[in-house]
Amino acid sequence: MKNRKDYIYKNSINCPIGTINFAGYHTHSPSKMNKMRYLGKYAFAYLIDGAGFYYDEFGNKENIESGDFIMVYPDTGHCYGAADNTTWETLYFVFEGQIFDYLRANNILNPKQPIFTLKPQIEWRRKLLKLMDDFRKAKPSDTLTLIIQLQEIISHALKTPKGLKQIDKSGWVQKTIAYIKEYYLEEINYQELASHFNINYDTFRKYFKNEMGLSLTKFQLSLVMEKAGFYLCEENLSVKETSNLLNYCDEFHFSKQFKKTTGMSPRQYKLLLHTKI
């Protein structure tokens, strides 16, 4: 990516759940302009080279380095740029839509936690460049697929808030995440898990939520619903088959939980993802 000129792709593909407005590559040079700005849309910038700074109206201040992922919100004042005596290179996407509004309303997207880390960097750069190229060539029938791919990239970023390893000296947050990912289909006793790490339960649950943006139970539920989406759409299983595999007592309770979490019933979700735009 060295010495490449800035470029921008505009396609404005859209579907009922979201729109990608444009995407591109940009080189930032050190600037004395430190005024916060409001974008009016969602966006993210992935730093592929260089170093810089970030701060916002919530008081967040971070040194940004290669591999960092900056999430921008429509109504949040923010400022970022290259550090003195250096430049930085970013890949970015600008987007909007009800799926992102829904994720924010449910605190999955949290403007108070804007910086994440995606590594290995070479792999995420490859994925973002491919998504950008697909976006550039997209036809209307490709829209939903691209929105889902964009959402999946954001979901991966949300799992690794910047500074997590530095703050979590003992590594118990990462170990807790690994444990939940292994046993998310079972009933987990979080008080026992806190005791295992010799941490007060109240501190355990509050710290986890602060770092991940989700409570322990909501994080576990997000994994269940992610698996549900896979069964419904990728494996093309019925709602009943999916509820059985996810250990729900019956189809009704699964459907109720799925709608509460995603905003649509399993059948609506299945139909939406199998309908060409």
Side-chain angles (χ1 to χ4, degrees):
M1 300 296 294
K2 291 284 188 181
N3 301 319
R4 295 191 64 169
K5 294 182 179 180
D6 290 3
Y7 58 79
I8 183 171
Y9 297 135
K10 295 182 179 180
N11 200 336
S12 290
I13 61 171
N14 64 82
C15 71
I17 64 171
T19 299
I20 301 177
N21 303 102
F22 51 90
Y25 163 85
H26 185 56
T27 301
H28 296 252
S29 298
S31 172
K32 294 182 179 180
M33 295 181 62
N34 294 322
K35 185 177 180 180
M36 290 190 193
R37 66 169 184 154
Y38 297 84
L39 185 60
K41 301 181 187 298
Y42 295 94
F44 67 72
Y46 184 61
L47 185 59
I48 58 176
D49 192 30
F53 65 89
Y54 171 93
Y55 63 87
D56 61 31
E57 64 181 46
F58 293 111
N60 290 305
K61 292 183 179 181
E62 291 281 358
N63 292 321
I64 305 301
E65 59 187 5
S66 179
D68 284 349
F69 180 101
I70 303 171
M71 189 73 198
V72 174
Y73 294 84
D75 54 355
T76 299
H78 65 282
C79 181
Y80 60 79
D84 291 340
N85 302 316
T86 187
T87 60
W88 74 0
E89 301 172 56
T90 58
L91 298 172
Y92 64 90
F93 283 80
V94 179
F95 47 93
E96 59 188 321
Q98 68 179 40
I99 184 62
F100 306 108
D101 292 338
Y102 176 83
L103 293 173
R104 181 176 179 179
N106 285 272
N107 205 39
I108 296 172
L109 289 177
N110 181 2
K112 293 183 179 180
Q113 173 60 70
I115 311 297
F116 305 88
T117 300
L118 280 178
K119 292 185 178 181
Q121 180 191 339
I122 189 170
E123 177 65 16
W124 285 104
R125 180 175 65 179
R126 182 189 65 78
K127 289 182 179 181
L128 287 170
L129 286 172
K130 183 179 185 306
L131 180 60
M132 193 175 294
D133 189 53
D134 290 344
F135 168 69
R136 178 178 62 86
K137 300 181 294 187
K139 301 175 182 178
S141 59
D142 301 322
T143 302
L144 186 57
T145 299
L146 291 176
I147 293 291
I148 292 172
Q149 289 176 355
L150 183 75
Q151 183 185 349
E152 288 175 346
I153 287 171
I154 294 171
S155 295
H156 277 286
L158 296 181
K159 296 174 183 177
T160 52
K162 183 175 174 64
L164 181 62
K165 292 183 179 179
Q166 288 73 27
I167 296 172
D168 179 25
K169 299 293 185 181
S170 66
W172 67 262
V173 172
Q174 294 288 8
K175 292 174 183 176
T176 298
I177 291 170
Y179 184 88
I180 296 173
K181 285 183 176 180
E182 183 173 356
Y183 297 105
Y184 68 94
L185 292 180
E186 301 179 18
E187 185 175 345
I188 299 176
N189 188 322
Y190 289 110
Q191 290 188 343
E192 288 186 359
L193 195 57
S195 297
H196 173 76
F197 293 116
N198 295 315
I199 300 172
N200 173 273
Y201 174 64
D202 196 47
T203 301
F204 178 80
R205 66 180 182 82
K206 287 181 178 179
Y207 190 88
F208 185 92
K209 184 175 182 179
N210 182 62
E211 292 302 312
M212 298 303 296
L214 290 172
S215 68
L216 290 156
T217 54
K218 284 190 175 181
F219 179 74
Q220 182 179 355
L221 181 60
S222 72
L223 297 177
V224 175
M225 292 299 108
E226 183 178 334
K227 193 67 172 179
F230 173 80
Y231 284 147
L232 290 168
C233 298
E234 299 297 328
E235 297 292 325
N236 200 27
L237 299 184
S238 68
V239 177
K240 184 176 182 179
E241 289 172 324
T242 300
S243 66
N244 288 338
L245 286 171
L246 297 178
N247 297 331
Y248 278 83
C249 58
D250 57 49
E251 181 180 343
F252 171 77
H253 285 89
F254 165 68
S255 297
K256 184 178 180 180
Q257 184 68 74
F258 190 91
K259 185 172 184 178
K260 182 179 179 181
T261 304
T262 66
M264 62 185 77
S265 71
R267 288 183 174 82
Q268 289 172 327
Y269 184 85
K270 192 178 180 74
L271 180 63
L272 180 63
L273 295 189
H274 283 88
T275 301
K276 289 187 177 181
I277 304 301

